[in-house]
Amino acid sequence: MSGKYLILVGDGMADWPIAGISNRTPLDAASKPNMDFMASNGAVGMVQVVPKDMYPGSDTSNLSILGYDPAAVYTGRSPLEAASMGVKLGPDDVAVRCNVLTLKNEGADTEMEDFSGGHITTEEAGKLLDSLQERVEDKGVRFYRGVSYRHLMVWPDGADTVETTPPHDIHGKKTASFLPKGKGSELFREIMEISREIFRDHPVNRKRISEGKLPGNSVWFWGQGKAPRIPTYKEKFGLAGSVVAAVDLIKGIGIYAGLDVVQVPGATGYLDTNYAGKAEYALRALEEKDFVLIHVEAPDEAGHNGDVQEKIKAIERIDKEMLGPILSRVREKGGMRVLLMPDHSTPVVLRTHTQEPVPFVFYPPPPGLSTTQGLRYTEDDARKAGNEIVRGTQLIDYLLA
């Protein structure tokens, strides 16, 4: 098929049955006529997005969806985010994701209260990091502002083999056994301790606490790595394309893939993002390009927050405000194939990512996959359809077939 190609990733949309919604998943409980239309008239099935021996992060999974083998190209999450932030890494620079977050209690009882610091603002987090930079100037590291709680530290000639843990994986748990380990971990731990000392009585946090908000009272390091080598989409598939996303990780993947990054007003990377604007800007980009990836973080954030109703709401808004206009474009002009899927599951009950296969749906259906009338876009119906893809990197072959 020659023409236009669109991938819409609802980050973390897939889930497990939840007792509070009659043992349904959010995809089953949501009102989503456009997704269900695609399932009944397209090709729905299940895919193992990343190899089972790799962590199902949004980094490895979105690389796989785009057709890149994460086992071959992935060096860490933070170098991808650095590209989006315009931070050029030298060959021996190590980029490290730096969350500004909320810890509670002290010493051995320290617990991960909120991996987002109560969704601290970019400006507030930036002031905290400025104070930290002054204090650790002698360590040779540099901090760069990202968005909200998501920031970057660059460690020249650093060690990229430190063992770290994503903070969203340990919500409500004591942090002692999850602190950085191995060569280079001493620096990470030292700066994390210094941040707690500096942030404790910082004016930013005094104000947040007075307003009833959680303080951003520590940094947490994870996702470190050196710059990867990734062929562009033009080199790999002969396509010119764009990426529409609010988070630096997905923008950074797009930059390494040679895709244009489309900036959408009001795209926040959270539940209040500009859903309709993302679809509008993506379709506008397709007028000039062959391919576009749209990434929506909202369902994943709801999953990490343990909020089933917000997850359902995010799915319904994706369906109405994004998929509706996209399918209208397919019907009006033709010559376009759409792939809708999550990159991984983020079960509300666990509040973190899991590794099982997730449901995908193509419309129109590509050669090699069957259509079954009457199916809905749910985990159960995707399993019933019998379309099983064993590797996420195969998805792009079906999309372009």
Side-chain angles (χ1 to χ4, degrees), residues 54-60 74 77-78 81 97-99 101 103 112 114-116 149 162-175 177-181 192 219-224 300 304 350-353:
M54 297 189 77
Y55 178 76
S58 292
D59 39 23
T60 53
Y74 180 68
R77 179 189 188 105
S78 198
E81 295 177 325
R97 163 65 96 85
C98 172
N99 274 43
L101 45 65
L103 301 177
M112 183 66 63
D114 190 323
F115 69 89
S116 71
Y149 60 91
V162 183
E163 296 175 39
T164 59
T165 301
H168 51 259
D169 281 359
I170 55 174
H171 173 85
K173 295 181 180 179
K174 292 185 177 180
T175 60
S177 61
F178 300 102
L179 292 171
K181 301 178 180 66
M192 288 161 70
V219 296
W220 186 275
F221 298 124
W222 62 289
Q224 70 285 344
D300 188 59
H304 286 305
L350 293 183
R351 302 176 69 148
T352 190
H353 303 176

Side-chain angles (χ1 to χ4, degrees), residues 195-342:
S195 74
R196 288 203 80 180
E197 174 191 328
I198 293 174
F199 294 174
R200 183 176 289 113
D201 195 42
H202 196 283
V204 164
N205 284 324
R206 286 204 303 267
K207 184 171 186 294
R208 285 184 64 83
I209 291 169
S210 73
E211 294 170 348
K213 299 174 183 177
L214 289 174
N217 60 16
S218 182
V219 296
W220 186 275
F221 298 124
W222 62 289
Q224 70 285 344
K226 295 182 178 180
R229 294 183 178 182
I230 299 176
T232 69
Y233 241 53
K234 200 72 174 175
E235 294 166 339
K236 194 171 176 65
F237 301 111
L239 296 177
S242 302
V243 60
V244 177
V247 295
D248 283 321
L249 170 63
I250 307 301
K251 292 179 182 178
I253 291 174
I255 289 168
Y256 272 108
L259 304 174
D260 288 345
V261 175
V262 178
Q263 305 292 347
V264 180
T268 64
Y270 196 53
L271 297 160
D272 60 352
T273 198
N274 183 1
Y275 298 85
K278 282 189 167 185
E280 177 188 344
Y281 276 68
L283 291 174
R284 196 180 298 171
L286 271 183
E287 295 297 324
E288 305 293 330
K289 300 291 176 64
D290 311 305
F291 166 85
V292 66
L293 169 76
I294 315 176
H295 175 270
V296 188
E297 180 81 0
D300 188 59
E301 291 288 337
H304 286 305
N305 292 339
D307 194 327
V308 62
Q309 293 303 325
E310 285 291 357
K311 190 166 188 178
I312 290 171
K313 188 185 299 182
I315 292 168
E316 291 179 342
R317 293 194 69 181
I318 291 170
D319 187 84
K320 180 179 180 180
E321 298 175 42
M322 302 183 74
L323 203 52
I326 290 167
L327 291 180
S328 291
R329 159 64 176 79
V330 176
R331 295 185 190 107
E332 287 169 14
K333 298 186 178 180
M336 177 173 155
R337 179 172 289 135
V338 178
L339 166 61
L340 167 75
M341 63 180 297

Side-chain angles (χ1 to χ4, degrees), residues 127-128 131-136 191 193-203 205 217:
K127 290 177 180 177
L128 293 171
S131 297
L132 181 59
Q133 181 74 73
E134 288 180 20
R135 177 69 176 273
V136 301
I191 295 176
E193 281 297 319
I194 291 172
S195 74
R196 288 203 80 180
E197 174 191 328
I198 293 174
F199 294 174
R200 183 176 289 113
D201 195 42
H202 196 283
N205 284 324
N217 60 16

